[in-house]
Amino acid sequence: MNVFVIPSWYPSNDYPSTGIFFKEQTQLLARNHPKINFGLSVWGSHEENLLLHFRDGLKVLQKLSLNKPQKCANQLAHNCIEYYNPAYTWTRKILHGNIGGIIKANWHNFHGYQNQFGRVDLIQAHVSYPAGYVAMKMAKKAQHPYIITEHMSPFPFETFIKNNKQISPLVREPLELANRVITVSSFLKEKIQQSINPSIEVVPNFIDENLFTPNTKQVSEMTFLSIGRLEPQKNHNGLLQALKILSNNSIRFKALMVGGGHLMDELKNQSTQLQIEGRIKWYGELNRTDVANLIRASNAVILNSNHENNPVALIEALACGKPIIATSCGGPEDIVNDNNGLLVNVNDSIDLAEKMIQLMKTYDEYNQRVIRSDFEERFSSKVITPKIVKIYQQVIHEYSNQVSGRNE
């Protein structure tokens, strides 16, 4: 089986964490299913020298005057290759952000993949736009089935809502025409089906169970860990307010903040104003091994987001046997249960602080082995990748029958 994978965003030197789970999940599929060949199609979606912000004026001309990065193919495994063909991108208000150039780049990668592995059996896109849109156009021309795994949060992005409150065709059409749609949470499935009615299956995110593992060493001082980009969606402001409440109650704790983003300076200033800066350590962006080590060095992971689908940070915590605290913002409800953590109200720092205190008081009741076992049954690559492969097989079989029926 040959699967061509198109991620909507992808890690780069400028943004090393962006879309990292698209890459990792494809590599895990390849590792667990060595007879399936995977091609990852990359066009530099988050490379700063390929992002043209027209408001920057001369900077755009400077970028255009530079030599484009070279096309290349990187062997990630014997059955997994990353194909790279750079394309400029810009605001969707102009020619849909160069979607034509993005499609052209993906065609180049597509042909490179087929030259190496033979005919593609299935195209898998991560997120309906741009990857789903690209997959729709390519599948129609090349006569291949395609599926979309939707991760968009919130769905749809505000920029995809038209003046009449309708979802833009750029998102709606790829979902409507896909041979199958996968969502990573039941909440996202319900959200899509409110306005679009494709055939949807829920398959959660998954991670490398060999990298994220429990430890036996106990953490001496209560340590809370937050993992996520420093952007408004994650509501770190509210988390800092909750930490202030704990500090006012003379509760001993530490807080570790992992993630980069444009709010870094603002949040550090807020922690200073709240007089809790001595309790917080800021790490910025970290590689996956360092993230796993920090989870093991913590007592619990907190996610105070305003909206999420199936947050990988919580799954990583469970893999390490750590309890979690998350907002009831959609996706976390599929993850949090009585054995592994607590849910809090969205944008409610008082509730968050109370749940943090509750977790501290009942911490010994959380069983690391039970939490890890729950992860293995619901979110490990060994459990989830066969479900995805089964969908691949079903879609390819159904499409083959449709083609045979048309030819009879």
Side-chain angles (χ1 to χ4, degrees):
M1 184 190 305
N2 293 331
V3 180
F4 188 71
V5 181
I6 308 175
S8 282
W9 43 86
Y10 203 74
S12 68
N13 290 333
D14 302 300
Y15 301 95
S17 298
T18 298
I20 186 67
F21 55 93
F22 296 150
K23 180 177 182 178
E24 290 179 349
Q25 290 182 4
T26 304
Q27 290 178 289
L28 288 171
L29 277 160
R31 186 182 77 185
N32 292 341
H33 302 274
K35 293 184 179 180
I36 302 177
N37 298 312
F38 292 89
L40 269 163
S41 185
V42 185
W43 65 90
S45 64
H46 283 74
E47 293 181 30
E48 191 58 43
N49 62 330
L50 296 174
L51 298 174
L52 305 183
H53 305 288
F54 293 113
R55 64 180 181 273
D56 292 341
L58 290 177
K59 288 184 180 180
V60 172
L61 297 178
Q62 290 172 354
K63 289 181 179 181
L64 291 173
S65 67
L66 298 173
N67 291 326
K68 259 190 181 182
Q70 294 296 308
K71 305 171 186 177
C72 63
N74 301 313
Q75 190 102 26
L76 304 179
H78 80 275
N79 60 332
C80 184
I81 297 183
E82 175 188 276
Y83 296 88
Y84 172 72
N85 186 23
Y88 291 111
T89 58
W90 51 76
T91 174
R92 285 195 296 272
K93 296 178 181 179
I94 304 175
L95 299 174
H96 298 309
N98 192 30
I99 191 65
I102 294 171
I103 292 173
K104 183 178 179 181
N106 278 277
W107 272 122
H108 177 275
N109 294 338
F110 183 88
H111 294 311
Y113 175 85
Q114 288 204 138
N115 288 339
Q116 188 157 359
F117 291 107
R119 179 176 171 80
V120 166
D121 295 298
L122 175 75
I123 300 173
Q124 178 177 14
H126 285 284
V127 186
S128 49
Y129 191 88
Y133 185 87
V134 173
M136 176 185 70
K137 294 294 187 180
M138 295 178 67
K140 181 178 180 180
K141 184 174 181 179
Q143 296 187 322
H144 295 293
Y146 77 96
I147 67 176
I148 296 175
T149 302
E150 189 58 90
H151 304 259
M152 194 181 293
S153 177
F155 181 90
F157 292 156
E158 187 176 345
T159 54
F160 291 121
I161 300 176
K162 300 171 73 68
N163 293 334
N164 58 3
K165 305 301 182 183
Q166 296 297 309
I167 296 176
S168 168
L170 296 175
V171 169
R172 188 184 68 250
E173 290 181 1
L175 291 170
E176 288 178 337
L177 296 175
N179 297 86
R180 193 79 90 251
V181 174
I182 298 172
T183 61
V184 294
S185 70
S186 54
F187 170 80
L188 181 55
K189 174 181 178 179
E190 294 169 5
K191 186 71 173 177
I192 292 174
Q193 290 185 326
Q194 289 175 6
S195 50
I196 307 172
N197 194 32
S199 172
I200 295 179
E201 297 188 42
V202 178
V203 180
N205 284 316
F206 56 96
I207 63 169
D208 187 350
E209 58 270 24
N210 297 333
L211 175 59
F212 291 88
T213 57
N215 63 342
T216 55
K217 183 180 179 181
Q218 294 296 316
V219 181
S220 57
E221 183 178 12
M222 191 68 189
T223 304
F224 294 103
L225 173 63
S226 172
I227 307 170
R229 64 188 184 277
L230 304 182
E231 304 291 345
Q233 173 197 345
K234 304 296 183 178
N235 193 14
H236 289 88
N237 302 84
L239 174 56
L240 294 181
Q241 292 289 346
L243 295 176
K244 175 61 174 176
I245 295 173
L246 266 63
S247 177
N248 287 344
N249 284 274
S250 301
I251 296 172
R252 293 188 61 192
F253 70 90
K254 290 192 300 184
L256 312 179
M257 302 288 187
V258 174
H262 73 279
L263 294 181
M264 173 73 81
D265 292 340
E266 177 184 319
L267 292 169
K268 285 185 176 181
N269 289 336
Q270 182 185 357
S271 70
T272 300
Q273 293 169 4
L274 293 173
Q275 298 181 328
I276 56 173
E277 70 275 14
R279 297 175 179 266
I280 301 173
K281 186 168 183 178
W282 305 85
Y283 284 88
E285 291 198 26
L286 296 178
N287 63 43
R288 310 298 286 138
T289 300
D290 288 340
V291 170
N293 288 333
L294 264 189
I295 294 174
R296 283 189 283 267
S298 304
N299 294 95
V301 169
I302 295 178
L303 192 69
N304 192 45
S305 298
N306 296 322
H307 54 83
E308 292 283 356
N309 283 322
N310 192 241
V312 171
L314 296 183
I315 297 173
E316 292 168 349
L318 299 185
C320 295
K322 304 295 183 178
I324 53 181
I325 299 177
T327 46
S328 299
C329 62
E333 287 92 317
D334 282 356
I335 299 175
V336 182
N337 58 40
D338 292 340
N339 292 322
N340 65 26
L342 300 167
L343 288 168
V344 303
N345 298 325
V346 175
N347 198 25
D348 188 340
S349 297
I350 294 176
D351 187 36
L352 175 57
E354 290 175 348
K355 294 296 171 55
M356 292 169 73
I357 294 170
Q358 179 182 338
L359 184 140
M360 293 172 73
K361 290 179 178 178
T362 61
Y363 189 76
D364 290 341
E365 297 177 13
Y366 290 99
N367 187 303
Q368 186 179 84
R369 279 179 287 190
V370 170
I371 294 174
R372 170 70 184 192
S373 178
D374 176 48
F375 155 78
E376 290 174 345
E377 292 175 2
R378 295 196 292 153
F379 304 112
S380 67
S381 71
K382 291 180 180 178
V383 168
I384 300 301
T385 59
K387 295 180 181 180
I388 296 174
V389 170
K390 184 178 180 180
I391 294 173
Y392 289 167
Q393 294 168 335
Q394 290 172 343
V395 169
I396 293 170
H397 179 71
E398 291 166 6
Y399 186 81
S400 177
N401 287 343
Q402 291 171 6
V403 172
S404 297
R406 289 196 296 265
N407 293 336
E408 288 179 357

